[in-house]
Amino acid sequence: MRRTSPFIERLMQGPILCDGGMGTQLYARGISYERCFEQLNLTSPELIKTIHLEYVAAGAEIIETNTFGANRFRLREHGLEEQVHAINRAGAKIAREARELSEQPIFLAGNIGPLGSHLAPLGDITPEEARSAFQEQAAALLESGVDLLIIETITNLEEMREALSAIRGMTDLPIVALMSFDEENTVSSGEEPLLVAQTMQELGADVVGVNCALGPAGTFSVIEGMSTGGPEHFLLAAQPNAGLPKRVGNRFIYGASPDYFADYARRFLEIGVSLIGGCCGTTPQHIAAMRKVLAEYAPELGTREVTVPKRQPRLDTLFERDPESSSGTQTHSTYLSQRLATGHFVVSAEMRPPRSVKFTRFLQNAEYLRDIGVDTINITDNAMARVRMSNVAAARLIQQQVGVETIVHFTPRDRNLMAVQSDLIGAHATDIRNVLAVTGDPPTHGDFPNATGIWDVDSIGLIAILNNLNQGLDGRGRKLGTPGSFCIGCAATPPATDIALDLERLHRKIEAGAQFIMTQPVYDPETLISYFERYKQEYGPLTIPILVGLQPLHSYQQAEKFHNEVPGIVIPEAVRERLRLAGDQACDTGLEIIKELFDAILPYIQGTYIMPLDRYDLVGELLPYIRQQTVDRGSENIVGL
């Protein structure tokens, strides 16, 4: 039963717009990642107030207090657990002052985030402790006169259950309950959208929905699942991230544009979403773009003048290292290294390890790839920070039971320096020798957003470690014994935002000991050719082979999502338009686009790796064409770069 309140009455009149990311704005103003953002309510209230006012000026009707992590468990990490009450009250006071200054009819939402650690038995927080912590934070916000509460970014339904049970017993104010889902449209505890929505409503939430982790496209998919319950059952909310973060220098920034958000705002409204806003990476520009859409969709609600700050925020969250580089000798002890050394054209296909202990279907797909004739299978390493079977274990299963050599992606995100070297030595001992060194996606946007990224080294440092192991040395240059025989790969991003930086890093990777390059997917021949021509101009001819990433697209919607939300992927407008016009034939058109691209770049590459995203039939469609075009291909046919 829906409670009556000014907020619910306004919501019943038509859709309402919330604000965007607070952390994005704080990062942009030079607040370091290590700081406690909630403490700024006490130390820098004017900074927080300014951000609130920018969102109000952009058109937000709801502003959320800067109290996301203001519970005893998160504050304890900064020695502030005794200031729960003071920090939450200060956060509400700042938001209230911003409303008064704006002279706009703004709703104040007390923001309550996850506890920051897992509940028992996975963690050590008991249900009683969880309820007490939620009640403690909510009490301080309620004392301060907020209009509603938003419980957000919860990834486990049991934690949301404890939060709603604790808080609903304290107040009749409206509660908005938002959970974070993964790419497979489930929360970390395994439940699907409709069940999550039903459970949250049964526990007392007035508005249910999705925030964080996913960009607009993924959020839309989850909301579609919730909307099957019908608008008469749920008031729905959507607050997506601005896509996935991409790496630019020593920063991660979000790439989904305000126009892209505006487009998805229309889609959200069309399927009945009542509350829209933004999460990580969103800015006043995104909110202003969505405000215009709401004004078109529900003009009867009235409009007000919207102003957008000129400041363009940037988000810093990366650890940048300067590892010592070293050069080592190249070996040809793997099938891959032998094929590359003799000038043969190499084709690899990408597989993602299974998400459970079962692997029968995984091996069947590997057998299919073997039978159609791929040279190697490359295995991702918890890509997008999504939990899957260890890729070293998955590679071992393929090599032992299917008989195809593998390339494992390897990231230092989840391993400290000792674990990096230990895992690599163990992989080598079980004949996993081809390694693609990658820095890795940030864990904050994966299955376990509370997990800590380690990054004792980045991909350049990882290559240096692999090179040392090939010389019988550890990461500090101390003697280990018998030299290894890793075939070391590195990544390159021809569509990078900062080409100069990406080329400089590529050069450092090669100097550190990389023996082959695997690029991010490309969709424009000139992008790849000009990237490596520029490398040649600045650093001299490439001395190692290039394997280009090919990712067939099967729909216009997929192309839009990848272009706007996935770091490192740029799909030209002409390609996206061609897929749009293809309609139901988009999959065939996607293959034609890849074939045309392949023909244009073939003189410059010595191999490819196909990223089918589990559509292995697409590899079967492409591989015969690739083999036909590369028959009798020798190293003398490769254009020098």
Side-chain angles (χ1 to χ4, degrees):
M1 181 177 178
R2 290 169 182 162
R3 282 154 284 276
T4 59
S5 74
F7 173 72
I8 295 297
E9 290 172 2
R10 165 62 186 83
L11 208 57
M12 298 308 293
Q13 296 172 22
I16 192 168
L17 181 63
C18 197
D19 58 9
M22 174 62 74
T24 303
Q25 302 302 299
L26 293 174
Y27 283 129
R29 287 159 168 83
I31 305 301
S32 69
Y33 181 77
E34 295 78 13
R35 292 282 299 277
C36 175
F37 298 139
E38 292 75 21
Q39 188 185 22
L40 297 172
N41 295 339
L42 301 176
T43 61
S44 304
E46 291 303 314
L47 172 60
I48 304 301
K49 188 188 302 180
T50 298
I51 294 170
H52 285 321
L53 288 170
E54 289 182 0
Y55 279 121
V56 173
E61 295 179 68
I62 306 170
I63 54 176
E64 302 177 60
T65 57
N66 178 41
T67 54
F68 174 81
N71 63 70
R72 68 177 70 157
F73 294 104
R74 282 185 175 270
L75 292 178
R76 183 178 297 163
E77 298 171 7
H78 303 278
L80 300 170
E81 64 271 25
E82 300 300 324
Q83 298 194 50
V84 171
H85 187 267
I87 288 173
N88 281 278
R89 282 187 62 89
K93 179 176 181 289
I94 295 166
R96 188 167 59 249
E97 291 173 353
R99 175 170 62 183
E100 292 169 358
L101 286 171
S102 73
E103 298 183 348
Q104 298 289 349
I106 303 300
F107 292 101
L108 304 185
N111 185 285
I112 296 176
L115 297 177
S117 185
H118 299 294
L119 272 60
L122 189 59
D124 55 7
I125 299 178
T126 67
E128 293 77 18
E129 290 172 329
R131 288 193 293 272
S132 176
F134 283 125
Q135 288 173 341
E136 180 182 31
Q137 184 179 5
L141 292 168
L142 293 169
E143 287 174 14
S144 306
V146 297
D147 302 306
L148 66 146
L149 295 171
I150 295 181
I151 307 171
E152 66 160 84
T153 321
I154 308 292
T155 60
N156 186 289
L157 190 55
E158 193 57 37
E159 184 173 356
M160 178 62 80
R161 189 186 305 276
E162 297 298 342
L164 284 169
S165 299
I167 297 170
R168 180 43 77 203
M170 303 172 62
T171 180
D172 286 330
L173 284 183
I175 298 177
V176 179
L178 307 175
M179 291 200 69
S180 295
F181 288 71
D182 61 26
E183 293 282 353
E184 297 185 0
N185 287 10
T186 60
V187 293
S188 65
S189 47
E191 294 83 3
E192 296 185 343
L194 183 56
L195 176 60
V196 169
Q198 291 170 337
T199 302
M200 292 192 296
Q201 186 183 67
E202 291 168 0
L203 291 168
D206 299 279
V207 182
V208 299
V210 188
N211 85 301
C212 207
L214 300 172
T219 299
F220 183 84
S221 177
V222 176
I223 288 291
E224 278 189 313
M226 289 184 172
S227 67
T228 57
E232 70 278 9
H233 293 112
F234 305 126
L235 292 174
L236 292 170
Q239 293 185 280
N241 285 351
L244 296 171
K246 62 182 177 181
R247 190 171 191 270
V248 178
N250 62 345
R251 309 165 183 256
F252 275 121
I253 66 171
Y254 292 81
S257 69
D259 288 342
Y260 184 65
F261 256 67
D263 178 55
Y264 265 92
R266 294 185 182 90
R267 302 188 196 187
F268 286 130
L269 295 173
E270 288 168 358
I271 63 171
V273 172
S274 299
L275 186 157
I276 62 173
C279 201
C280 299
T282 55
T283 68
Q285 286 80 9
H286 293 85
I287 300 305
M290 291 191 285
R291 164 53 59 193
K292 292 179 181 178
V293 173
L294 262 70
E296 297 168 2
Y297 185 84
E300 69 279 4
L301 295 176
T303 59
R304 52 190 172 85
E305 185 177 352
V306 172
T307 58
V308 181
K310 294 181 179 179
R311 181 187 181 100
Q312 294 290 336
R314 302 178 69 185
L315 180 61
D316 302 59
T317 62
L318 187 69
F319 311 79
E320 184 73 21
R321 307 286 184 183
D322 248 340
E324 296 180 5
S325 65
S326 60
S327 58
T329 57
Q330 184 167 346
T331 62
H332 308 303
S333 62
T334 69
Y335 178 70
L336 171 66
S337 62
Q338 292 169 5
R339 297 280 291 178
L340 293 175
T342 53
H344 288 86
F345 194 88
V346 172
V347 179
S348 183
E350 183 173 281
M351 294 187 71
R352 298 184 290 187
R355 284 180 64 87
S356 76
V357 297
K358 296 183 178 180
F359 53 84
T360 302
R361 183 62 178 163
F362 175 72
L363 291 183
Q364 289 173 344
N365 289 327
E367 289 171 350
Y368 169 76
L369 294 174
R370 175 199 63 194
D371 292 344
I372 63 174
V374 300
D375 296 302
T376 65
I377 295 174
N378 52 292
I379 316 290
T380 60
D381 187 8
N382 289 338
M384 303 299 180
R386 309 295 183 195
V387 175
R388 292 178 178 272
M389 177 188 291
S390 157
N391 67 335
V392 172
R396 190 174 302 128
L397 286 170
I398 289 176
Q399 292 193 176
Q400 292 177 350
Q401 299 193 33
V402 180
V404 178
E405 190 170 272
T406 58
I407 305 170
V408 295
H409 300 201
F410 196 95
T411 171
R413 173 195 59 214
D414 312 316
R415 308 165 171 97
N416 64 21
L417 273 173
M418 289 189 298
V420 163
Q421 295 170 85
S422 177
D423 287 354
L424 288 172
I425 292 170
H428 190 285
T430 52
D431 289 327
I432 309 298
R433 310 287 177 88
N434 301 311
V435 179
L436 176 68
V438 293
T439 297
D441 302 305
T444 50
H445 302 280
D447 289 333
F448 292 89
N450 299 321
T452 302
I454 298 175
W455 283 302
D456 283 345
V457 292
D458 63 4
S459 58
I460 301 171
L462 177 57
I463 291 168
I465 289 172
L466 283 160
N467 190 38
N468 270 9
L469 290 174
N470 276 354
Q471 301 175 64
L473 307 172
D474 69 8
R476 296 181 61 182
R478 295 175 300 190
K479 192 69 175 175
L480 283 177
T482 305
S485 54
F486 288 106
C487 183
I488 308 168
C490 68
T493 308
T497 304
D498 190 336
I499 296 293
L501 176 62
D502 202 75
L503 288 173
E504 186 265 337
R505 286 182 59 82
L506 175 61
H507 184 60
R508 288 172 61 196
K509 292 172 187 178
I510 295 172
E511 286 188 323
Q515 299 165 355
F516 66 95
I517 299 167
M518 299 181 86
T519 77
Q520 286 275 34
V522 294
Y523 294 92
D524 173 40
E526 185 56 33
T527 297
L528 180 126
I529 295 169
S530 62
Y531 176 90
F532 285 109
E533 285 289 354
R534 182 168 169 181
Y535 180 94
K536 181 178 179 179
Q537 293 170 7
E538 297 186 17
Y539 300 105
L542 269 176
T543 57
I544 61 175
I546 303 166
L547 279 66
V548 68
L550 298 180
Q551 189 167 65
L553 300 167
H554 55 75
S555 72
Y556 167 70
Q557 291 76 15
Q558 183 193 42
E560 283 290 298
K561 177 181 178 181
F562 285 178
H563 177 73
N564 287 284
E565 298 188 27
V566 180
I569 296 183
V570 176
I571 303 174
E573 184 177 355
V575 172
R576 287 178 279 140
E577 179 66 9
R578 188 170 165 187
L579 289 165
R580 186 185 68 82
L581 295 174
D584 293 341
Q585 303 302 312
C587 187
D588 291 338
T589 300
L591 289 170
E592 292 173 5
I593 290 169
I594 293 298
K595 291 176 182 178
E596 293 166 7
L597 169 70
F598 182 77
D599 288 343
I601 62 178
L602 179 56
Y604 302 91
I605 60 176
Q606 198 181 329
T608 179
Y609 77 109
I610 305 170
M611 292 166 276
L613 298 178
D614 301 332
R615 286 284 306 273
Y616 300 111
D617 57 308
L618 297 178
V619 182
E621 293 284 344
L622 276 176
L623 191 55
Y625 183 83
I626 291 172
R627 292 302 191 202
Q628 180 182 9
Q629 300 302 103
T630 57
V631 64
D632 298 327
R633 168 74 180 270
S635 58
E636 66 276 3
N637 303 122
I638 303 174
V639 175
L641 283 174

